Amino acid sequence: MGSLSLRGIRKVYHGNEVLKGIDLDVQDGEFLILVGPSGCGKSTLLSMIAGLDPIDQGEIRIGDRVVNGLGPKDRDIAMMFQSYALYPNMTVARNISFGLEIRKVPRTERDRIVLDVARALQIDHLLERRPAQLSGGQRQRVAMGRAIARSPSLFLFDEPLSNLDARLRIEMRLEIKRLHQRMGTTVVYVTHDQVEAMTLGDKIAVMRDGEVQQFGTPQEIYDQPANRFVAEFMGAPTMNLISTRIERAEGRIGVRLDGDGRSYWLPTAPEAAGALAARVGQEVLLGIRPEQITHAAQSDAASARMRVLLTEPTGPDTLVLVSVNGVEVTCRVHPDHAARPGQDMALRFDLSKAVYFDPDSGLRAA
């Protein structure tokens, strides 16, 4: 079993608490992403799971074993680093098989495993080359092959794609996803790239300052961020946060949006109205994704006319920048409907998936 359980994990370096009581559960076969800005503690946590760094407090359980006192070789894990860490004087075949040699796997069995792994990664034609003769993507596949050959209970990846160019990163991301689907092994994967987090993970733990801000599926975290930090960190372009006042009109709860001397009142979704009723007359932060602000028909009741400040064509969509309540807001529209900078544009604000945050604490208000 490759399940992983973390309970109350704490770590202090030179008086600085870098992990502040991490609790996480990863089911057998799940792909967990640890994501967050540099210095948030995600790589430290991965090192502790691997046994490379001792914990100061808490419990790490892999399968049915508490592994706190076990070294890396006894935890039944395989770890893949950002640097690949290949042996330069060994061939690709030997790099893949070296861990099996250490474990005294018979030669015929080693050869079979190496060939199977190399074929799966499409590097079987490179088995006699050395790392210096390989491209970055090929070295990445060799490092993956070495990890896969061991058939561990748990794979640990520490920002493995950060050294690759954009195109190779996309290719290797798909390769890792295919491998996980085929093998079904539990994976813990560290990245600061929220696109990787959204596309790879079954579950995501968003970290900040040594704490887990939110733990859930990619869609849950994208649609229902727990606080302002998660809302701004996850998503590209980032979620728009608009300071606005909750108002009641005609028996309904809504928000006030102002732009270029024009003012609009838009009703909130019924699901949010109940939680916001107690905040009538108060300021909140309206969180709305760019794709929830689109080109509107003239008759659309949820529309508002805004002056376009800037446009950014992306191919299938055009990002349009407008000013709402004194802040710049990004909208995602079809290229055929995008107005030019300086022109007015009718925009539809879809509040059905909008979220609301307390402006002081940053926590979800609705």
Side-chain angles (χ1 to χ4, degrees):
M1 292 289 289
S3 60
L4 174 68
S5 175
L6 306 178
R7 288 289 175 270
I9 304 300
R10 295 183 180 274
K11 184 66 178 179
V12 177
Y13 282 123
H14 308 296
N16 179 35
E17 192 173 27
V18 295
L19 292 177
K20 304 172 183 177
I22 303 295
D23 294 312
L24 288 173
D25 285 300
V26 187
Q27 301 305 311
D28 187 28
E30 279 190 330
F31 198 125
L32 169 68
I33 300 285
L34 300 177
V35 66
S38 297
C40 70
K42 56 189 185 295
S43 290
T44 299
L45 182 59
L46 195 77
S47 292
M48 292 179 174
I49 296 170
L52 301 174
D53 202 356
I55 64 174
D56 291 332
Q57 186 178 323
E59 179 184 274
I60 300 175
R61 184 181 290 270
I62 298 176
D64 58 0
R65 298 189 304 160
V66 175
V67 299
N68 289 29
L70 298 180
K73 67 182 181 63
D74 298 317
R75 295 194 180 196
D76 194 20
I77 61 166
M79 189 164 183
M80 186 170 168
F81 299 93
Q82 178 180 344
S83 63
Y84 313 146
L86 301 178
Y87 297 106
N89 60 325
M90 293 184 184
T91 64
V92 167
R94 187 85 192 285
N95 265 283
I96 294 174
S97 69
F98 189 68
L100 302 175
E101 293 179 36
I102 298 299
R103 293 164 61 191
K104 301 189 185 305
V105 175
R107 175 66 180 270
T108 54
E109 180 69 5
R110 291 202 312 262
D111 291 345
R112 183 191 63 78
I113 292 172
V114 168
L115 190 56
D116 287 347
V117 168
R119 284 172 175 166
L121 293 170
Q122 300 177 24
I123 55 172
D124 48 308
H125 61 295
L126 304 174
L127 289 175
E128 297 308 313
R129 295 190 189 180
R130 284 178 166 74
Q133 300 171 292
L134 305 177
S135 68
Q138 289 168 340
R139 292 179 193 179
Q140 183 80 354
R141 283 182 164 86
V142 175
M144 288 173 60
R146 182 176 55 191
I148 293 166
R150 293 185 56 193
S151 298
S153 297
L154 188 63
F155 281 114
L156 306 177
F157 291 84
D158 191 6
E159 303 203 47
L161 308 185
S162 59
N163 286 339
L164 304 180
D165 61 39
R167 181 176 176 180
L168 263 180
R169 237 183 354 254
I170 294 171
E171 290 178 7
M172 292 308 302
R173 197 166 67 213
L174 293 173
E175 194 66 45
I176 290 172
K177 197 172 184 75
R178 287 192 191 100
L179 280 169
H180 178 252
Q181 290 174 346
R182 185 161 64 242
M183 299 178 64
T185 308
T186 310
V187 175
V188 181
Y189 185 107
V190 163
T191 183
H192 64 274
D193 186 331
Q194 51 86 24
V195 175
E196 279 182 28
M198 290 294 297
T199 55
L200 282 175
D202 297 318
K203 295 285 182 62
I204 297 175
V206 183
M207 296 183 64
R208 181 191 188 193
D209 296 334
E211 297 179 306
V212 174
Q213 300 292 304
Q214 188 170 358
F215 177 58
T217 67
Q219 206 61 50
E220 287 169 349
I221 287 174
Y222 188 79
D223 290 338
Q224 301 294 328
N227 55 41
R228 177 176 180 171
F229 171 78
V230 176
E232 291 183 303
F233 190 80
M234 299 301 293
T238 186
M239 176 179 275
N240 297 299
L241 294 175
I242 306 169
S243 180
T244 185
R245 186 179 297 273
I246 300 297
E247 297 182 2
R248 189 189 301 272
E250 301 177 359
R252 301 180 69 183
I253 301 296
V255 294
R256 179 69 58 180
L257 302 180
D258 298 318
D260 302 302
R262 290 163 287 200
S263 186
Y264 302 89
W265 181 88
L266 300 179
T268 64
E271 296 80 8
L276 294 173
R279 291 178 175 263
V280 171
Q282 298 179 15
E283 295 290 326
V284 297
L285 286 175
L286 163 65
I288 184 167
R289 297 283 183 192
E291 61 269 23
Q292 294 168 260
I293 312 174
T294 58
H295 172 77
Q298 294 296 330
S299 58
D300 196 324
S303 68
R305 292 195 69 80
M306 298 288 173
R307 184 72 47 81
V308 174
L309 303 176
L310 190 70
T311 61
E312 184 180 356
T314 65
D317 304 301
T318 294
L319 302 179
V320 172
L321 196 68
V322 299
S323 178
V324 181
N325 292 6
V327 298
E328 293 184 344
V329 170
T330 302
C331 322
R332 191 187 294 274
V333 306
H334 191 280
D336 293 343
H337 297 304
R340 295 181 178 180
Q343 295 180 333
D344 286 350
M345 183 174 179
L347 294 167
R348 183 180 191 277
F349 287 73
D350 179 6
L351 300 187
S352 64
K353 288 188 176 182
V355 292
Y356 303 84
F357 302 96
D358 184 283
D360 297 320
S361 69
L363 298 177
R364 276 281 296 279

